[in-house]
Amino acid sequence: MNINRYIDHTILKPTTTLDDIKRLSMEAVEFDFAAVCVPPPFVNAAKTFLGSTSTAVATVIAFPFGYSALEAKVAESVLAIIDGADELDMVANLIAIRGGDWAYLEKEIATVLPIVRNKQRKIKVIIESGILLEDEIVRCCELYGRYGVDFVKTSTGYAEKGASVEAVALMRRHLPANIQIKASGGIRTFAFAKELISAGATRIGTSSGAAIMKEAASLQ
């Protein structure tokens, strides 16, 4: 398994420095990761560090709680695209999910998605599966599957529970085949990453990408 091309090498801590972004980017180049995922202020720097490599730059929108006003999500998305982001990981409005306000959630994705599509970028919608009920996860898959987002993503990594094999498998059962799944939150080992991929994940968001690659190499 060429697990490197599954990995979104991630750093999103609020104390991130430019040196952190440079190290992350250099590791991504070394291992040929699918993407780096960085805080919005560092998108341009990551693009510069990665240059013409095949590693994409992802950033987050309304991170980590998702309850930003729709106008704020639009503004963040536009700025991320201007700065050069290839992929936008947007946190869905979790208050709306828990409150059953599916009309608001539909309005949210219907507003943001055309902005992303117009610039040929990708969007991953984060639903925070670890704190949702099963039927809420299913409803999210139905909604975002109908709109044809690129990925539905399990977690921000900031909730009390991150990715799980069970959540990924549930999402895979209820998403159209063309909608991918990004698993993130608490993924620190090659073994766990493999389990998530076997369950249906096609991206792995982790701050332990380099360690996972070293572990994978030691098992060969």
Side-chain angles (χ1 to χ4, degrees):
M1 174 187 290
N2 294 324
I3 197 168
N4 60 306
R5 295 305 297 173
Y6 287 86
I7 290 176
D8 282 9
H9 199 29
T10 302
I11 186 166
L12 293 170
K13 62 185 181 180
T15 53
T16 300
T17 66
L18 186 61
D19 284 344
D20 292 330
I21 300 299
K22 184 175 183 180
R23 174 188 55 78
L24 186 87
S25 300
M26 294 305 97
E27 288 174 347
V29 171
E30 177 185 355
F31 295 111
D32 190 26
F33 288 141
V36 296
C37 189
V38 302
F42 291 112
V43 168
N44 191 264
K47 290 291 285 188
T48 300
F49 289 136
L50 290 168
S52 59
T53 66
S54 61
T55 300
V57 174
T59 194
V60 288
I61 306 297
F63 192 85
F65 300 119
Y67 50 42
S68 303
L70 179 52
E71 294 83 357
K73 288 186 175 180
V74 167
E76 287 185 47
S77 299
V78 170
L79 183 58
I81 291 168
I82 290 171
D83 285 346
D86 303 297
E87 303 176 355
L88 280 63
D89 292 29
M90 183 186 79
V91 187
N93 190 305
L94 303 174
I95 289 175
I97 294 175
R98 294 315 310 267
D101 193 350
W102 299 100
Y104 180 87
L105 290 158
E106 183 157 5
K107 178 183 177 182
E108 181 177 80
I109 191 61
T111 302
V112 174
L113 186 61
I115 296 168
V116 178
R117 288 283 180 260
N118 187 49
K119 298 298 183 181
Q120 293 80 51
R121 302 309 204 271
K122 292 182 178 180
I123 187 167
K124 311 184 191 95
V125 179
I126 308 171
I127 64 170
E128 207 67 273
S129 60
I131 61 173
L132 298 183
L133 302 174
E134 184 172 307
D135 67 314
E136 292 168 335
I137 296 173
V138 171
R139 286 288 298 270
C140 286
C141 290
E142 291 170 350
L143 172 62
Y144 298 118
R146 188 166 73 250
Y147 272 84
V149 302
D150 296 288
F151 292 79
V152 179
K153 178 177 170 181
T154 63
S155 326
T156 61
Y158 279 77
E160 55 265 35
K161 183 179 179 182
S164 71
V165 171
E166 295 76 16
V168 170
L170 177 66
M171 291 161 65
R172 187 64 281 159
R173 290 197 300 273
H174 291 278
L175 283 169
N178 63 308
I179 307 297
Q180 299 184 69
I181 297 169
K182 178 177 173 179
S184 63
I187 306 169
R188 300 182 182 89
T189 67
F190 176 64
F192 188 30
K194 275 184 64 179
E195 284 187 83
L196 294 163
I197 292 167
S198 295
T202 49
R203 285 284 186 92
I204 299 295
T206 177
S207 59
S208 302
I212 288 172
M213 291 304 298
K214 291 171 184 174
E215 182 186 352
S218 72
L219 297 172
Q220 291 180 352

